[in-house]
Amino acid sequence: MTYFKKLIEEKDKSILFYHKKKDIKALEIVLSELNKEHTALKENLNEVIYLLTLIDKHPIKTTEKQEELPSKHQKEIEKWLQSLKDLFEGFHNTSTEDLDKEEVDFIKLEKTKLLDEKKNLEHQLKYINNIISKTTVLLTDVRNEFCKKITKGYDIVAVSKKLAEKYGDKVVGTYISGRKEIILFLEKTFKISKIRSKELIDLLEKSNTINFKIDIPENDVFYYYKDYGFADEFVPIIGAWHINV
């Protein structure tokens, strides 16, 4: 069994297990790991496409398809692609007539491998997208259950509507002041403790029901950092908590 198939099977078992246990934290970790794997796959696919584009200037046919090999670990693929980069960029800057037989044979072999890897990566991305979607759905389900437990019956969408009724689409201010205001509102609205209210706002933020965005001025603004004694570009902390209903 290939590395990728093992990965998908293990993740699939994990998300079903953690969903059954209603373990939000564990599901969040699995989703984070899957997103990192997705990023690595996407980056490798982009690199494969780049290498194939470099070599397309040479009318060199690929070799016969080799026997299919097991999928490699991401790190192995990255190392292989990196080893080809300088060579293929060199070949791209060389005319086809100036390539010797060994170089042509090398291009034939590696181009065949790259085309096979492109197909594998596209296939893997399809499967990992599916399991990310599945994990997201199960995580949302568990978060909603936890939200209902805290608020005694309100799911995440219902809580966000309560916030929108009070504030509209945003709470203007700093990250900290806006957060404190929302926590106080949740505490009073659902008659819960400050601890529970803090858990609820964390849940809303992780679910992207609310998110803080800073206001970056159009003109270049510089502030003086007294603690460090030098001027540096400063991103202001003023912004707004946006409520996504």
Side-chain angles (χ1 to χ4, degrees), residues 51-220:
L51 292 172
L52 286 170
T53 303
L54 284 178
I55 215 66
D56 273 349
K57 68 170 285 186
H58 300 298
I60 298 174
K61 295 181 179 180
T62 57
T63 61
E64 292 184 8
K65 185 173 175 61
Q66 298 177 324
E67 183 181 348
E68 188 171 348
L69 299 173
S71 297
K72 297 177 181 178
H73 190 281
Q74 290 295 343
K75 294 298 180 183
E76 293 179 278
I77 296 172
E78 289 168 12
K79 188 176 179 180
W80 168 54
L81 294 176
Q82 188 59 41
S83 71
L84 291 180
K85 189 173 181 180
D86 288 342
L87 288 170
F88 272 42
E89 286 178 348
F91 292 145
H92 180 75
N93 293 322
T94 305
S95 66
T96 303
E97 294 75 19
D98 289 336
L99 295 174
D100 60 33
K101 184 179 182 304
E102 287 185 356
E103 289 172 331
V104 170
D105 289 342
F106 177 80
I107 291 171
K108 282 182 180 180
L109 180 61
E110 295 305 313
K111 187 176 181 181
T112 301
K113 291 179 183 177
L114 285 168
L115 288 169
D116 287 345
E117 191 57 41
K118 180 175 178 287
K119 184 177 178 181
N120 288 336
L121 289 168
E122 288 171 340
H123 182 73
Q124 290 171 8
L125 277 167
K126 177 182 176 182
Y127 275 90
I128 207 157
N129 278 329
N130 287 339
I131 197 167
I132 284 173
S133 297
K134 181 177 180 179
T135 307
T136 302
V137 168
L138 295 179
L139 179 55
T140 299
D141 178 59
V142 177
R143 281 173 172 166
N144 269 322
E145 286 194 32
F146 186 52
C147 186
K148 287 179 180 178
K149 183 178 179 181
I150 293 174
T151 61
K152 299 178 178 64
Y154 292 84
D155 64 12
I156 291 171
V157 172
V159 172
S160 67
K161 286 181 178 178
K162 288 284 186 183
L163 282 168
E165 288 171 8
K166 171 69 174 177
Y167 299 107
D169 63 351
K170 60 186 175 182
V171 181
V172 179
T174 65
Y175 177 91
I176 294 174
S177 66
R179 184 179 171 86
K180 284 181 177 178
E181 187 172 345
I182 294 171
I183 287 175
L184 183 59
F185 170 77
L186 296 173
E187 188 179 343
K188 290 181 177 179
T189 301
F190 299 106
K191 297 178 175 58
I192 55 180
S193 69
K194 194 169 292 294
I195 293 173
R196 281 302 205 183
S197 190
K198 194 266 182 188
E199 290 176 336
L200 185 54
I201 194 173
D202 288 344
L203 187 66
L204 295 173
E205 190 173 3
K206 287 179 180 178
S207 302
N208 202 35
T209 300
I210 59 172
N211 61 293
F212 185 79
K213 295 179 182 178
I214 59 173
D215 290 333
I216 302 176
E218 293 181 4
N219 59 324
D220 292 332

